[in-house]
Amino acid sequence: MERDGRARVAVKKNKKRQGKGKGQGGDGDGDGSGNGIKKGFSDEQVRMLETMFETETKPEPRKKVELARELGLQPRQVAIWFQNRRARWKSKQLEREYRALKCEYDKLSADYELLKKEKQGLRSELQRITDMLRSAGDQSDAGEDGNAGTFSGDGANCDTKYIGGHDCFDREAMLCPQMDDETIENSVEEMCDLLNVGGNKDDGGSLTEIPEKWCGLGPSEMSAAVQWWNFCT
DNA sequence: TCTAGCGAGTTGTTTACCTCA
DNA sequence: CGTGAGGTAAACAACTCGCTA
């Protein structure tokens, strides 16, 4: 709490606080009018006090005395008015800050829910792709002679009719049940094993290593797929 | 009757100044 | 003369009360 030395010296010459008991503050009856009825300050008094408060929330004691004289009030009344004004301003300020924070929180919360839904959809889509790849792998196992519609051993010549088109990424086709992270990871590993591409942890492979051409997907499509994977995990 | 706003009282804390050993 | 401890006064914040519209 800062103090104004000059003001203190000046005030110290005055009498100490005029009593602590109820009814002893300031003018004795609390309204400065002497008739014992508590009234509010006049419009003009409030206007001048507000004007002063706008420029200075903590005026020097000297200024308060001056203002009190101008307004025909006791200096103590002016001091109390400023104390109350600061307290009530702070209270309103806290309310404003609370409302602003709550608004921000609500917005973030809504964004979070949207992202959660989007994540769910992407997971479903990934599972759908995995299932399709697996079924394609099964067909490959059934026909070892490398017929059309099957994957080749190195994955460089696979049938693109399943995943080569963008329909794989149709966001409306999110009908698969949810998978957990472990299931997804296992599926992808299995998928990679199946296709004999990177992704097997034991081989030191990485899911982020993209072969030049993988099952008909170009680098850009694969990059998008990897981004999805990273987002999902 | 309830409620919000307001002026003022109460209490505890902080700070600067003063006095004295 | 310098210094630290204790006392004092003033200002303030926070809380509260009672009154009024």
Side-chain angles (χ1 to χ4, degrees), chain A residues 53-227:
Chain A
F53 186 80
E54 275 173 28
T55 55
E56 235 176 332
T57 58
K58 269 189 199 178
E60 287 177 20
R62 190 169 47 81
K63 279 192 179 176
K64 281 188 275 193
V65 170
E66 270 177 37
L67 189 59
R69 200 175 55 237
E70 281 179 46
L71 299 174
L73 294 170
Q74 293 293 321
R76 175 153 171 78
Q77 284 181 293
V78 173
I80 287 171
W81 186 89
F82 272 92
Q83 278 184 27
N84 287 326
R85 187 69 180 79
R86 281 194 298 270
R88 280 150 192 166
W89 180 84
K90 189 178 178 181
S91 171
K92 284 231 163 61
Q93 182 70 11
L94 280 173
E95 264 181 49
R96 278 193 292 271
E97 282 173 15
Y98 169 77
R99 276 200 298 272
L101 281 172
K102 188 173 183 306
C103 187
E104 206 171 318
Y105 169 80
D106 289 344
K107 189 175 170 298
L108 283 171
S109 186
D111 285 350
Y112 173 71
E113 287 304 320
L114 276 177
L115 284 171
K116 228 164 74 173
K117 277 184 185 153
E118 191 174 348
K119 179 180 173 178
Q120 246 177 35
L122 291 172
R123 280 185 176 213
S124 301
E125 192 148 354
L126 182 59
Q127 185 176 7
R128 200 166 68 88
I129 293 167
T130 305
D131 289 346
M132 282 195 306
L133 285 171
R134 185 177 293 175
S135 64
D138 289 346
Q139 287 178 26
S140 174
D141 286 346
E144 293 263 329
D145 56 358
N147 287 337
T150 65
F151 293 112
S152 66
D154 60 9
N157 180 28
C158 55
D159 192 333
T160 60
K161 83 176 182 185
Y162 297 111
I163 58 175
H166 290 289
D167 56 332
C168 286
F169 300 95
D170 182 356
R171 295 168 73 96
E172 290 176 6
M174 299 170 180
L175 304 170
C176 300
Q178 237 187 314
M179 296 190 295
D180 59 25
D181 289 343
E182 198 181 352
T183 310
I184 290 173
E185 193 165 349
N186 289 340
S187 297
V188 173
E189 275 183 25
E190 201 176 319
M191 190 168 76
C192 292
D193 283 347
L194 192 67
L195 300 171
N196 195 24
V197 296
N200 190 331
K201 283 175 188 165
D202 298 331
D203 297 336
S206 165
L207 293 174
T208 57
E209 289 170 11
I210 308 168
E212 235 180 72
K213 186 168 173 66
W214 184 74
C215 290
L217 292 178
S220 64
E221 289 159 320
M222 276 306 298
S223 174
V226 167
Q227 279 176 10

